[in-house]
Amino acid sequence: QVQLQESGPGLVKPSQTLSLTCTVSGGSISRGYYYWGWIRQHPGKGLEWIGYIYYSGSTYHNPSLKSRVTISVDTSKNQFSLKLNSVTATDTAVYYCARDTGQYFDHWGQGTLVTVSS
Amino acid sequence: EIVLTQSPGTLSLSPGERATLSCRASQSVSSSNLAWYQQKPGQAPRLLIYGAASRATGIPDRFSGSGSGTDFTLTISRLEPEDFAVYYCQQYGSSPRTFGQGTKLEIK
C-alpha cells in the first residue's frame, strides 16, 4: 500500500519561499506509470491542484500560480518536492502530496499546514 | 477553466436515508472525466469514484456515481454514521484540473 508523508516548515515569512518534501513508501517513484502531485486547501475552503512531476523530471503546474512553482524529484530518496516562491498570506493552506494518475488522485498524504506570516 | 458547482452546500439527513449530491460543470466534461472524494475533519480526501461511475478500490457499493456532460450525481443509498463528511467532485477532462467547493453531509 502506497503511503505519502509531507514534511517542511509550518511557518514561512511573506515574500520568502515555501519548501515541502513528500516521502513515498510502499512503492517506487521510479517505477513510472504514475505522476506525483501537489494539491492545497485554503482554510475552510475547497481544493486547488498545484502541479505534478513524473519520475523522469517532466512537470506541469496550474497556470494560476504562474511561474512561482517548482516541483522536483529525487528518485534515490523516493521523494518529490514543492517550492513556491514569493509567498503571501493567500498561500496559507494545508498542502497535500498525492499519487496522481494523471487524471485523479488515488493516494494522499495526511497534509501539512503552512502559514505565511511575519 | 471549468468551474464545478456543487449543491446543496449542506445536506442534513439521518442514518439509513438516501443522499443525492450534485455537481454541475460550467462546460461539458469530456469522456465523463469526473471523480468524487470524501473528506472527514482533519483528514485528507479519499477517492470514492472515478470515470463518473467507477468505484475506487475498497469503496462500499452503497456509493454510486452517475452523469455525463455537465451534470453529475453522487448517490449514497443508505447512509452509515461514517458517511457524514464533506464531498468534493473533481474534473480531469480539461486542464487545469479543478474541484468543486464541496457539499457537507451532516447528521440531522
Side-chain angles (χ1 to χ4, degrees):
Chain A
Q1 175 76 341
V2 172
Q3 293 185 313
L4 300 96
Q5 177 69 58
E6 305 87 352
S7 59
L11 181 63
V12 181
K13 288 182 167 47
S15 81
Q16 295 193 342
T17 297
L18 178 160
S19 296
L20 295 173
T21 295
C22 183
T23 301
V24 179
S25 58
S28 173
I29 289 178
S30 299
R31 180 177 175 270
Y33 188 75
Y34 294 104
Y35 299 85
W36 302 90
W38 292 96
I39 302 104
R40 70 180 181 179
Q41 185 169 33
H42 294 100
K45 299 288 181 62
L47 298 153
E48 178 183 25
W49 171 65
I50 297 172
Y52 66 64
I53 191 164
Y54 197 53
Y55 80 98
S56 61
S58 62
T59 61
Y60 187 74
H61 65 266
N62 193 326
S64 68
L65 293 164
K66 296 184 173 62
S67 57
R68 296 197 296 133
V69 172
T70 301
I71 301 175
S72 58
V73 65
D74 185 338
T75 55
S76 67
K77 295 182 179 178
N78 221 31
Q79 295 176 334
F80 61 104
S81 298
L82 169 70
K83 290 188 186 300
L84 181 65
N85 59 35
S86 305
V87 296
T88 69
T90 59
D91 294 309
T92 293
V94 174
Y95 287 76
Y96 295 100
C97 60
R99 191 173 78 172
D100 185 346
T101 67
Q103 298 178 320
Y104 48 86
F105 309 95
D106 64 353
H107 288 83
W108 297 62
Q110 66 184 29
T112 187
L113 174 62
V114 179
T115 301
V116 179
S117 176
S118 55
Chain B
E1 70 179 44
I2 294 179
V3 176
L4 299 177
T5 302
Q6 293 185 240
S7 62
T10 301
L11 184 58
S12 300
L13 293 170
S14 301
E17 290 192 295
R18 180 185 185 90
T20 302
L21 287 67
S22 173
C23 176
R24 177 162 290 178
S26 60
Q27 54 189 282
S28 184
V29 176
S30 62
S31 303
S32 297
N33 288 328
L34 189 112
W36 289 92
Y37 301 85
Q38 175 194 68
Q39 186 177 35
K40 296 180 180 179
Q43 296 184 18
R46 176 176 71 144
L47 177 68
L48 298 175
I49 301 285
Y50 62 93
S54 298
R55 275 188 300 277
T57 302
I59 302 304
D61 60 7
R62 64 180 181 273
F63 290 90
S64 63
S66 62
S68 64
T70 60
D71 290 294
F72 298 87
T73 300
L74 174 70
T75 302
I76 310 171
S77 59
R78 286 179 58 86
L79 285 166
E80 297 287 342
E82 62 267 27
D83 298 337
F84 292 90
V86 179
Y87 291 83
Y88 294 95
C89 55
Q90 177 234 327
Q91 67 81 22
Y92 48 92
S94 172
S95 186
R97 289 173 281 177
T98 51
F99 293 85
Q101 84 282 12
T103 289
K104 181 180 181 181
L105 179 55
E106 64 176 23
I107 299 177
K108 187 174 182 180

